[in-house]
Amino acid sequence: MKVRSSVFACFILVCEVLGVALFLRGFFPAPVKSTLSSNSRLSELLIFNPLISPSARPRPNASLPPRLFGRVVLMLVDALREDFLFGPNGRSFMPYTRHLVERGSAHSYVAKARAPTVTMPRIKALTSGSIPGFIDVVVNLNSHALQEDNLVSQAKAAGKRMIFYGDDTWLKLFPKHFQESDGTTSFFVSDYTEVDNNVTRHLDSTLRRDDWDMLILHYLGLDHIGHISGPHSSLVQPKLLEMDDVFKKIHSSLVSKEADGSPPYLLVLCGDHGMSEMGSHGGSSEPEVNTALLLVSPAFRRKGGLEQPLAVEQVDLAPTLALGLGLPVSQNSVGRVLPQILEELPLRDQLRLLHLNGHQLSLLLRDSLPHYQQDPGWEQFRVAEKAHGSWVKLYLEGNASEILQNVGQKVLKQYLQALASMSAALSRQGLPDILCMARCKTAGAFGFLCGNQTMLV
Ligand SMILES: *[C@@H]1O[C@H](CO)[C@@H](O)[C@H](O)[C@H]1NC(C)=O
Ligand SMILES: *[C@@H]1O[C@H](CO)[C@@H](O)[C@H](O)[C@H]1NC(C)=O
Ligand SMILES: *[C@@H]1O[C@H](CO)[C@@H](O)[C@H](O)[C@H]1NC(C)=O
Ligand SMILES: CC(=O)N[C@H]1CO[C@H](CO)[C@@H](O)[C@@H]1O
Ligand SMILES: [Zn+2]
């Protein structure tokens, strides 16, 4: 009897050790990381001439692609679920914003966030384009400065003057990056008024000034309302109307300041994650991962009429902003540039920018997949790069414009396919959703995510 019970105890112990080991392995997934030691340098990445052999690079900066945008305003509304803007209630929730969408003067997307749908990892995904490990949930409430290559640091290194108002997570992730800031705390979930007023109170004076290049706002009120009373609460509409007013104010100000000759503005509205039917978030259900993303700029072609918003990945915003601002794409970014923002550029610049994104993805692929050469995206990119080289040759020879156009369009398609494959391969490498859901559950058992009050942000 004694022997049997001690055998049983051993068995239980072994099970437990195995279980903990499995949990830890899941908890610290192999991150997708580039081995490039330092952050991407502009001079290293903005170098492309397919006619020149790799050994002869880098080239003189004569061929830097132009930056697409001048001033950028990023308005992040925490928990801005996709249907709050694009759904049937969008017209009454955010009338001005929805009008812009329907008028075709914006590019609209449903941006898919990945689990864990919690603020801090989402900010990382938005700014670095990378897929953070699940461990980030645990440190969500205790964020450290972001070491990884990211858009905000790149912008600072490039001398952009940045201002931030909103969730103080940003100030922890990017200390000393902003020339001016006011952090709000998400500690009091019951407060959904002051937390937003503290952001909006700076707006009028900031919009009047000309001494900044990038303004980032992070509104927390909507998320808090979700936690208090869910997405169907009567508090949601007034809050979204308030956000709509802020958006209108910013847009009108940018339009009125638009001057001939200076690069056009870019206004981005996005969410960090969605909100479940219960008003919580953290997992990978549709309403939690589907966020609204809107890009507005005079640089875009006006489309007629309402189109369905395109489904994209949240990580696509980081390379899009980087290339749009003339900054290097963050080296661990698994996203791909949203091609709609390039449409109005000359074909040559479009190809150049797509190449930059592809180059960055291919380096990341090489560093994170053991058999990267067998990945279809890798091969597609090589093929596209070669075709790009032939195209540049035709271009320089002054070939007939129709042939040039046709060949160029083909190269463009090849690049887009290559970017899609490489991005997909890298994302698979990160965190499969099912695994992540399992982890969320496990973590719940360990008390990190239990209840809806522990996951405030
Ligand atoms: C809003 O600002 C006031 C005054 O600066 C500050 O005391 C308060 O804590 C802020 N509220 C939040 C939610 O950050
Ligand atoms: C939050 O959790 C409590 C129980 O812990 C539950 O009663 C409440 O309905 C939950 N609220 C939401 C919005 O999920
Ligand atoms: C343009 O390129 C095509 C394809 O390479 C070639 O057949 C044609 O002769 C070229 N035309 C001119 C005018 O260079
Ligand atoms: C050809 C050219 O414009 N070269 C410039 C590249 O950028 C460096 C500094 O960023 C300049 O010193 C070079 O003159
Ligand atoms: Zn929240």
Side-chain angles (χ1 to χ4, degrees), residues 49-313:
N49 183 336
L51 294 178
I52 292 186
S53 74
S55 58
R57 298 172 195 165
R59 294 230 311 129
N61 15 357
S63 62
L64 292 189
R67 64 179 175 150
L68 275 60
F69 308 114
R71 272 190 163 190
V72 176
V73 179
L74 177 66
M75 176 178 171
L76 196 166
V77 178
D78 209 287
L80 185 64
R81 206 162 91 166
E82 161 270 318
D83 64 324
F84 287 155
L85 178 56
F86 301 125
N89 289 329
R91 282 204 186 97
S92 52
F93 283 169
M94 306 192 77
Y96 181 81
T97 315
R98 178 66 179 252
H99 179 65
L100 282 188
V101 172
E102 295 188 354
R103 225 173 52 178
S105 43
H107 289 310
S108 37
Y109 305 92
V110 173
K112 217 174 201 39
R114 288 183 168 254
T117 44
V118 195
T119 296
M120 198 272 283
R122 296 304 99 221
I123 295 178
K124 285 189 180 175
L126 285 165
T127 54
S128 72
S130 63
I131 304 178
F134 196 74
I135 185 70
D136 284 325
V137 180
V138 184
V139 287
N140 183 43
L141 298 171
N142 181 23
S143 332
H144 299 286
L146 186 56
Q147 304 296 336
E148 218 172 311
D149 191 11
N150 67 79
L151 185 78
V152 181
S153 305
Q154 290 286 356
K156 178 153 197 289
K160 302 228 183 267
R161 297 157 301 174
M162 292 178 284
I163 295 184
F164 175 80
Y165 304 121
D167 186 348
D168 58 8
T169 307
W170 286 77
L171 302 178
K172 292 176 194 150
L173 285 175
F174 308 109
K176 304 205 187 90
H177 282 66
F178 303 103
Q179 64 170 24
E180 197 182 306
S181 62
D182 184 11
T184 56
T185 168
S186 56
F187 194 71
F188 304 102
V189 184
S190 53
D191 162 37
Y192 52 85
T193 312
E194 183 181 282
V195 81
D196 285 350
N197 288 345
N198 274 14
V199 178
T200 306
R201 65 181 171 181
H202 299 287
L203 218 50
D204 282 323
S205 66
T206 305
L207 289 174
R208 242 178 277 129
R209 284 157 36 191
D210 287 318
D211 60 347
W212 53 268
D213 303 302
M214 197 167 180
L215 170 64
I216 303 177
L217 309 170
H218 187 146
Y219 281 97
L220 283 166
L222 179 65
D223 178 71
H224 290 185
I225 287 176
H227 288 292
I228 297 167
S229 51
H232 304 293
S233 145
S234 58
L235 298 170
V236 166
Q237 182 175 23
K239 180 50 82 181
L240 285 170
L241 283 171
E242 179 192 332
M243 294 296 105
D244 191 53
D245 269 344
V246 169
F247 187 81
K248 180 179 179 180
K249 178 181 280 196
I250 299 170
H251 187 228
S252 316
S253 158
L254 289 172
V255 168
S256 72
K257 287 208 162 223
E258 189 73 353
D260 286 342
S262 57
Y265 67 81
L266 172 68
L267 172 55
V268 181
L269 173 70
C270 66
D272 53 346
H273 51 71
M275 184 188 290
S276 72
E277 287 303 298
M278 300 295 292
S280 62
H281 54 90
S284 50
S285 72
E286 291 279 312
E288 283 167 283
V289 301
N290 288 337
T291 65
L293 172 63
L294 201 67
L295 305 183
V296 186
S297 171
F300 301 151
R301 183 189 306 161
R302 260 305 260 288
K303 301 158 293 179
L306 179 62
E307 290 170 14
Q308 280 304 311
L310 296 167
V312 298
E313 295 287 330

Side-chain angles (χ1 to χ4, degrees), residues 339-354:
Q340 294 77 25
I341 69 152
L342 308 177
E343 278 168 0
E344 289 292 87
L345 291 176
L347 195 50
R348 187 175 186 208
D349 292 333
Q350 292 191 40
L351 295 180
R352 221 188 263 156
L353 291 170
L354 289 174

Side-chain angles (χ1 to χ4, degrees), residues 14 16 100 104 115 123 164 167 187 296 309 316 333 341 346 363 370 374 377 393 419 432 442 446 454:
V14 167
E16 200 170 315
L100 282 188
I123 295 178
F164 175 80
D167 186 348
F187 194 71
V296 186
D316 294 342
S333 159
I341 69 152
L363 290 183
Q374 277 137 42
K393 208 159 154 220
L419 293 186
T442 324
F446 277 71
T454 46

Side-chain angles (χ1 to χ4, degrees), residues 357-428:
N357 196 182
H359 180 66
Q360 172 266 328
L361 285 173
S362 72
L363 290 183
L364 187 59
L365 201 64
R366 184 196 66 193
D367 294 340
S368 40
L369 290 188
H371 304 292
Y372 61 93
Q373 276 143 326
Q374 277 137 42
D375 191 84
W378 175 271
E379 189 53 33
Q380 280 167 348
F381 181 62
R382 295 294 146 220
V383 171
E385 211 175 22
K386 230 174 182 170
H388 189 182
S390 316
W391 184 86
V392 172
K393 208 159 154 220
L394 282 181
Y395 177 87
L396 294 175
E397 283 167 0
N399 199 303
S401 66
E402 198 178 319
I403 296 170
L404 199 64
Q405 190 66 24
N406 292 342
V407 176
Q409 287 301 336
K410 212 174 123 196
V411 179
L412 192 106
K413 262 196 204 120
Q414 286 176 326
Y415 267 143
L416 291 178
Q417 271 169 15
L419 293 186
S421 317
M422 289 194 288
S423 174
L426 286 163
S427 306
R428 275 198 301 276

